[in-house]
Amino acid sequence: MITVYGAPGWGSAISELMLTLADIPYQFENVEGFDSPGHSQEKLLKLNPLCQVPTLQLDDGSIMTESAAIALMILDERPDLAPPSGTPERNQFWRLLVWLVANVYPTFTYADYPERFVPDAADQLRERCITYRKSLYLWLEQQLQATPYAFGEQLTLLDIYICVIRTWGPRHDWFKENTPKIAAIADAVCAVEKLQPVLRRNDII
């Protein structure tokens, strides 16, 4: 069985939800506190030298990291969780999946730990990253259908990302006011009954 090393509310929630949606069994190993010296960090470093979540240990003992790579692995088993091949929606799905991890994720790396990168200007870096992140979400808003999901009636793995990131900064109220499509998609995912135990465990609902 796959083991997901993660922390409630962190990016590992995306992998948990994707696996749950795909009906792929897994067990969760809580490494909360991994970003500070201690037992959890030591445990995670043995598996992933970058000490990041999610880190997955697969059935054969191998390690899988990076949420987009995990999404691709899941799609090998459940291709129905992306738009059909050969359609414009499929191409846009790939684009937005990689766009999120390449553009939005780094704003959290730098804004959450600015002192690691510019100790003398940490507050300035944090503020600029948050402002830039908001501009990215405004662009993403224009790419989405929200009827009720990102690509219409089909629930895809991209919707899982949108649901989780809505809980991160700048949080619910900002999304509701500035990006109503993102907010609506997140609400639609939260209403999927099979996902609700994981959503609750990660304080998303």
Side-chain angles (χ1 to χ4, degrees):
M1 180 181 293
I2 293 172
T3 300
V4 177
Y5 291 84
W10 287 69
S12 53
I14 294 173
S15 292
E16 282 196 84
L17 288 165
M18 291 193 297
L19 290 165
T20 300
L21 183 63
D23 298 311
I24 298 175
Y26 71 93
Q27 58 187 2
F28 180 72
E29 182 78 19
N30 191 340
V31 289
E32 195 168 12
F34 69 92
D35 56 337
S36 299
H39 176 70
S40 292
Q41 187 176 87
E42 292 172 5
K43 179 187 294 187
L44 190 57
L45 278 170
K46 292 177 181 178
L47 302 169
N48 181 356
L50 293 180
C51 200
Q52 295 174 340
V53 297
T55 293
L56 274 59
Q57 188 164 34
L58 306 183
D59 294 340
D60 61 2
S62 63
I63 300 300
M64 173 64 79
T65 65
E66 315 311 320
S67 64
I70 294 165
L72 296 177
M73 179 187 72
I74 291 171
L75 289 173
D76 282 342
E77 294 193 34
R78 290 289 306 272
D80 58 306
L81 295 179
S85 296
T87 63
E89 290 78 13
R90 179 71 162 229
N91 292 335
Q92 182 73 336
F93 173 87
W94 294 132
R95 179 191 182 191
L96 294 180
L97 179 68
V98 175
W99 179 88
L100 277 169
V101 297
N103 292 280
V104 175
Y105 272 30
T107 69
F108 290 100
T109 300
Y110 298 122
D112 290 351
Y113 306 100
E115 66 282 353
R116 295 180 182 176
F117 305 98
V118 285
D120 297 330
D123 290 341
Q124 185 179 25
L125 177 59
R126 180 185 295 109
E127 290 177 8
R128 289 190 176 182
C129 284
I130 292 171
T131 298
Y132 180 57
R133 186 190 309 151
K134 290 177 180 178
S135 74
L136 294 174
Y137 287 144
L138 292 172
W139 178 86
L140 177 61
E141 173 79 0
Q142 304 307 312
Q143 314 305 311
L144 306 172
Q145 294 184 27
T147 53
Y149 302 115
F151 295 99
E153 295 184 2
Q154 181 187 9
L155 175 59
T156 72
L157 296 185
L158 185 69
D159 299 297
I160 300 298
Y161 276 85
I162 291 169
C163 177
V164 175
I165 64 175
R166 196 260 302 256
T167 67
W168 301 340
R171 302 191 183 277
H172 285 235
D173 288 345
W174 186 90
F175 284 109
K176 184 176 181 180
E177 180 177 351
N178 295 278
T179 58
K181 290 181 182 178
I182 290 176
I185 291 167
D187 286 342
V189 174
C190 288
V192 177
E193 186 172 355
K194 72 184 293 185
L195 299 178
Q196 290 179 352
V198 180
L199 291 165
R200 291 191 184 96
R201 191 164 65 246
N202 284 277
D203 294 323
I204 296 172
I205 60 173

